[in-house]
Amino acid sequence: MLSLALAGKPNAGKSTFYTAATLADVDVANYPFTTVDPNRGVATVRTECPCLELDERCGNDRCRDGTRYVPIELLDVAGLVPGAHEGRGLGNQFLDELTNADAILNVLDASGSTNAEGEPVEVGSHDPVEDVEFIEEEMNQWLTGIIDRNWESVERKSRSPEFDINDALTDLMTGFGATTADVAACLRALDYPEDPIQWTDADREALASEVRARTKPIILVANKADIADEETFQRLEDAAEIVIPATADGELALRRGVEAGVVDYKPGDAEFEITGDLSDSQQAGLERIREVMAEYGGTGVQSALNAAVYDLLDHLTAYPVQNETKWTDGQGNVLPDAFLLPEGSTPTDLAAAVHTDIAEGYLHAVNGKTKRRISDDYELDDGDVIKIVSTAS
């Protein structure tokens, strides 16, 4: 399962975002370090279900009228403060929690109602643009520190006749969650001395930055959009590659409304319908949420998750089946499973995602939409329905 982590300074709205996305009960309060131990839960990304091409919807629990929700892991890490990489605010402990995440959602307070330390201040008195590169810089410095602390062992290894700088750096960086391919790609992008003794602080910082960027890409979630001004969003968009305006409070209110049976809403929709009796204050609150959604195309929570998985990480959704005609499994369930895979994945990659036994016994695959056998190196398209033929089937 893909893993996304929420990071940012205290009081930016990470725990509210997490609660809205997972509907898990966590502490949400207006003081630093509301979250100390990380929260782990299951959120979803939203995509079109292939059942839209069938006469009837599939009936899967994660499909709502042709909108499919695919599970991912969501991690809520405690708020980080400036100097986190040096241990301020238990920063090293919190940064360590990000090691296994595939991507980071930097949740910042776009309203400027919290200062650099995450303490409440008057709305607009802090410039959110100052927080854009905060998580990136803290993670880069934290990783640089890890490299520095282990550099002496790399230098000792260099005395061996069999020493290879690339192998040594791969051994060092895979402990951070980087794959061998990740490290190789990073090293190709850098110009560095073959002798580790000749490496400078700048060389190690460049390595840390390159590995972090490749293995922990960051998307910006501009939270509290309901009380932020338009000019701030324009400056945020100039300062970051991907910026998603969001109101985590609004998303949480809508999901609670659905639970209570008074709101009809699918996560990621641009609008909602009130279906039950509400108090005047509840009605006014929802109407304010409706205005924000109309301006930004939704609450932004689902958009942020989708942007991280489908845009930042370049993943697609594929659906393995046993019957390529009816798109069912062995029990007759239509489109029972959905898997997130990197773009460029093949049927053999899908087989491995389903089960190692299926992959080991892989024979061939059939495209459920064309009903034709496909090659082993066929690159999957988003929404493909694939029958895996395996000796383990």
Side-chain angles (χ1 to χ4, degrees):
M1 186 180 292
L2 274 180
S3 180
L4 304 181
L6 303 173
K9 66 185 184 182
N11 292 322
K14 297 183 309 302
S15 292
T16 303
F17 187 110
Y18 174 86
T19 303
T22 64
L23 284 183
D25 292 324
V26 301
D27 290 332
V28 178
N30 196 29
Y31 55 85
F33 309 121
T34 303
T35 306
V36 176
D37 296 321
N39 296 304
R40 291 182 184 273
V42 176
T44 57
V45 290
R46 169 177 166 152
T47 188
E48 283 192 354
C49 185
C51 74
L52 289 170
E53 301 178 32
L54 303 175
D55 292 336
E56 297 181 1
R57 304 291 73 81
C58 65
N60 189 285
D61 289 343
R62 293 193 177 277
C63 178
R64 295 182 57 185
D65 299 323
T67 298
R68 187 71 172 235
Y69 292 91
V70 186
I72 58 170
E73 180 184 54
L74 189 62
L75 173 67
D76 176 25
V77 176
L80 298 167
V81 296
H85 68 279
E86 297 173 335
R88 283 200 67 222
L90 300 179
N92 283 324
Q93 172 186 327
F94 300 156
L95 286 164
D96 286 345
E97 299 292 346
L98 302 176
T99 299
N100 294 318
D102 295 294
I104 311 296
L105 278 67
N106 177 8
V107 181
L108 61 74
D109 177 359
S111 72
S113 60
T114 47
N115 64 19
E117 301 284 339
E119 299 164 336
V121 295
E122 184 179 349
V123 173
S125 60
H126 176 76
D127 187 357
V129 176
E130 296 178 8
D131 302 328
V132 171
E133 297 180 354
F134 165 59
I135 296 300
E136 178 179 322
E137 292 173 354
E138 288 295 334
M139 290 188 68
N140 287 349
Q141 290 300 317
W142 167 69
L143 185 53
T144 299
I146 293 175
I147 294 173
D148 287 343
R149 289 193 295 275
N150 289 275
W151 199 251
E152 186 177 343
S153 66
V154 176
E155 291 181 348
R156 284 199 303 268
K157 291 178 182 178
S158 69
R159 298 167 188 158
S160 168
E162 293 81 22
F163 176 78
D164 183 283
I165 183 68
N166 290 357
D167 291 342
L169 295 178
T170 299
D171 290 342
L172 175 60
M173 302 313 301
T174 49
F176 173 67
T179 65
T180 300
D182 287 332
V183 178
C186 291
L187 294 179
R188 286 196 298 270
L190 297 172
D191 184 18
Y192 55 92
E194 290 293 322
D195 183 355
I197 297 176
Q198 297 178 6
W199 276 55
T200 64
D201 290 344
D203 290 327
R204 287 187 286 272
E205 289 177 5
L207 174 62
S209 178
E210 190 71 29
V211 172
R212 197 281 312 156
R214 177 169 289 275
T215 63
K216 302 291 180 286
I218 298 173
I219 189 171
L220 190 66
V221 181
N223 194 32
K224 305 185 185 181
D226 50 323
I227 53 175
D229 62 79
E230 184 176 347
E231 185 268 337
T232 295
F233 280 119
Q234 291 176 346
R235 292 192 300 114
L236 286 172
E237 290 175 349
D238 290 337
E241 185 173 347
I242 303 178
V243 181
I244 308 295
T247 168
D249 280 334
E251 178 72 16
L252 182 56
L254 291 176
R255 296 209 189 191
R256 293 300 192 207
V258 171
E259 282 189 324
V262 296
V263 171
D264 183 16
Y265 167 71
K266 291 188 301 184
D269 278 356
E271 55 187 22
F272 61 90
E273 181 181 353
I274 297 174
T275 58
D277 295 330
L278 299 172
S279 67
D280 290 344
S281 62
Q282 289 173 326
Q283 182 85 28
L286 287 178
E287 290 306 322
R288 174 56 184 150
I289 294 171
R290 192 189 302 277
E291 292 174 6
V292 177
M293 293 174 69
E295 183 173 359
Y296 297 112
T299 70
V301 170
Q302 190 65 62
S303 296
L305 297 172
N306 270 37
V309 170
Y310 292 118
D311 299 332
L312 197 63
L313 294 176
D314 292 325
H315 273 54
L316 55 83
T317 311
Y319 302 79
V321 296
Q322 291 189 36
N323 185 312
E324 72 273 26
T325 301
K326 298 181 177 180
W327 294 2
T328 57
D329 62 11
Q331 288 71 49
N333 300 307
V334 179
L335 297 169
D337 300 304
F339 284 85
L340 292 167
L341 300 170
E343 289 189 5
S345 293
T346 64
T348 56
D349 295 320
L350 178 59
V354 174
H355 199 282
T356 53
D357 290 345
I358 300 293
E360 290 173 0
Y362 178 88
L363 297 174
H364 66 270
V366 178
N367 187 317
K369 294 185 176 182
T370 65
K371 309 299 185 292
R372 295 178 179 175
R373 182 167 168 170
I374 51 180
S375 66
D376 296 350
D377 57 0
Y378 165 83
E379 291 192 3
L380 299 173
D381 286 327
D382 186 60
D384 268 353
V385 178
I386 303 294
K387 175 182 179 178
I388 303 294
V389 181
S390 169
T391 58
S393 300

